[in-house]
Structure formats: structure tokens, C-alpha cells
Amino acid sequence: NAGVMQNPRHLVRRRGQEARLRCSPMKGHSHVYWYRQLPEEGLKFMVYLQKENIIDESGMPKERFSAEFPKEGPSILRIQQVVRGDSAAYFCASSPRGFHEQYFGPGTRLTVT
Amino acid sequence: EDKVVQSPLSLVVHEGDTVTLNCSYEVTNFRSLLWYKQEKKAPTFLFMLTSSGIEKKSGRLSSILDKKELSSILNITATQTGDSAIYLCAVDVGQGAQKLVFGQGTRLTINP
């Protein structure tokens, strides 16, 4: 059973470009979470999604950030018009049910130049 | 604001030593406390604790929750170099869906 997959593993964008981060949950998992980890800081919750639904986006910046988890395909975290402060590791996690331990992917390291 | 604090932030010990990592929390809604180990990549799940005073054990690792003191400890006995990692503590503060608030982590280094 493959684990949570994220791609790309490393992404470099210039200021003002768009970044698209993909997450494929573990087989059988229908709950997806996105977290951001800044250097020397803990993981910060961004958004929680189920298929075709955003359940909790209280950790998402109000502008430039969006997330989706379509009926088919991976979950996507989209950052428009990236700025240097968006440079971080973005982790995706999945779980089979809402109240269950989350399993994390390897992360996407975003660098904005 | 929900807060999870881990201590120490960094710890260096020799192989064979026993270590205790601490996690304390101040949250408005507590459902469970989780421990993860983060090496170079993905955090890997260690324990989920919901009840106070019941120790969870996996090999040389064990953890216990104290709801009265709003804290948890993670013990590692007979440490090995492979235990070197960042250990993350998280509290589920969700009211419906699970929502994890993470501490800043403890960076553990085991020297041979």
C-alpha cells in the first residue's frame, strides 16, 4: 500500500508566479489535510478537505491560497502570485476517517526567488 | 489561541541513554494528543493518547498523557543513533473534523 504521495518534491518559483502542489492520499483515505512548515517552526494547519468539499480552511491565508480535492485525481494546493514569505515546506496528510491518526507525505519544498 | 509547547527544543545524548521529551498544551477543546517522529521527510505517526494515565508502548518508546497537568511525555530507552530525529507533539482541537495544533518540535541527536 503506497503511502501519501506529494509532487513535486522541490519547486522553485519567481515572485509573482503561481505554485501548484499535488497530494495523492493513501488508498482508501478520503480525508486530506495541508500543513505549512516554516524553517525552525512547527507544522501549521492550513486546510482540511474531503472529496469535493472544503471542511475547514481556517488556517489558510485569505488571499492567493486555495485548495481543492476533486472527485477524481489528487488534492491541489494552489498559491497565486507567490512572495518570498511563501517559501516553506508544505506537507499533506491523509486519514481514512475524521477522528483517526493522519499519515503524512514527504512534503514539497517551495522556494520563491 | 491554542498553544502546544515542547521542551527541550534540542537534546544531545549518547547512545544507550534514556531520554524524556515533554509536551504541554493550552487549548480550548482537547480531543487527543499525538506524537510524531520527523526525520528528513514525512512525519511518521508514533502514538495517539486520549485517556489520562494510560501508558502506550511501542518497543523502546512509550508515552503517557496527564490531563490534569495538561501535558504528555515521550520516553525513549536505550537510545540508538537511528532515534535521531525531530519529535513532534500535536493536539487535536477539532470540534467535528480533526484539527491538529503542533508544537515546535524537539530535535534529538544521539551520538555513538
Side-chain angles (χ1 to χ4, degrees):
Chain A
N1 188 7
V4 179
M5 313 278 283
Q6 288 188 250
N7 67 80
R9 295 291 311 280
H10 299 274
L11 183 61
V12 180
R13 285 285 177 266
R14 289 204 187 97
R15 273 182 300 171
Q17 290 185 318
E18 179 178 289
R20 277 183 178 242
L21 288 62
R22 289 174 188 77
C23 168
S24 297
M26 284 179 74
K27 192 175 178 183
H29 288 195
S30 57
H31 298 248
V32 166
Y33 310 79
W34 284 94
Y35 294 86
R36 177 162 65 176
Q37 187 174 38
L38 294 167
E40 303 305 318
E41 288 189 23
L43 290 152
K44 297 270 193 269
F45 169 82
M46 297 182 76
V47 62
Y48 161 50
L49 310 104
Q50 293 178 31
K51 286 277 187 186
E52 299 185 279
N53 280 309
I54 297 174
I55 308 300
D56 183 342
E57 57 181 346
S58 56
M60 287 272 272
K62 293 282 180 269
E63 295 175 354
R64 302 187 298 109
F65 285 72
S66 63
E68 62 176 12
F69 189 16
K71 195 174 175 186
E72 303 289 339
S75 175
I76 308 266
L77 179 69
R78 187 174 166 217
I79 312 172
Q80 295 178 288
Q81 297 170 351
V82 296
V83 300
R84 287 231 171 94
D86 297 332
S87 295
Y90 291 82
F91 287 93
C92 164
S94 72
S95 68
R97 293 177 292 283
F99 183 60
H100 198 275
E101 59 263 27
Q102 298 176 20
Y103 295 86
F104 281 80
T108 293
R109 193 160 297 277
L110 172 67
T111 303
V112 180
T113 60
Chain B
E1 192 189 332
D2 294 325
K3 206 167 155 187
V4 177
V5 176
Q6 291 183 246
S7 64
L9 291 181
S10 180
L11 185 57
V12 181
V13 300
H14 289 293
E15 208 168 12
D17 287 353
T18 292
V19 296
T20 299
L21 309 184
N22 300 287
C23 175
S24 63
Y25 57 90
E26 277 180 51
V27 300
T28 49
N29 182 57
F30 176 92
R31 283 209 304 202
S32 64
L33 186 144
L34 298 89
W35 284 96
Y36 286 86
K37 177 182 181 182
Q38 185 177 22
E39 294 171 270
K40 293 218 161 81
K41 306 183 269 195
T44 51
F45 171 77
L46 295 174
F47 298 111
M48 180 192 252
L49 305 156
T50 52
S51 301
S52 210
I54 297 173
E55 186 183 52
K56 291 223 172 170
K57 211 167 157 60
S58 175
R60 295 176 295 102
L61 277 67
S62 64
S63 184
I64 196 159
L65 174 66
D66 185 339
K67 282 185 175 178
K68 208 169 167 187
E69 296 295 324
L70 306 182
S71 65
S72 172
I73 58 169
L74 175 69
N75 278 324
I76 310 175
T77 58
T79 52
Q80 301 169 358
T81 53
D83 295 327
S84 296
I86 297 172
Y87 289 83
L88 299 170
C89 171
V91 173
D92 178 8
V93 300
Q95 304 210 336
Q98 188 179 73
K99 184 172 175 181
L100 298 183
V101 176
F102 279 84
Q104 68 276 59
T106 292
R107 184 180 292 273
L108 177 64
T109 304
I110 311 295
N111 288 328

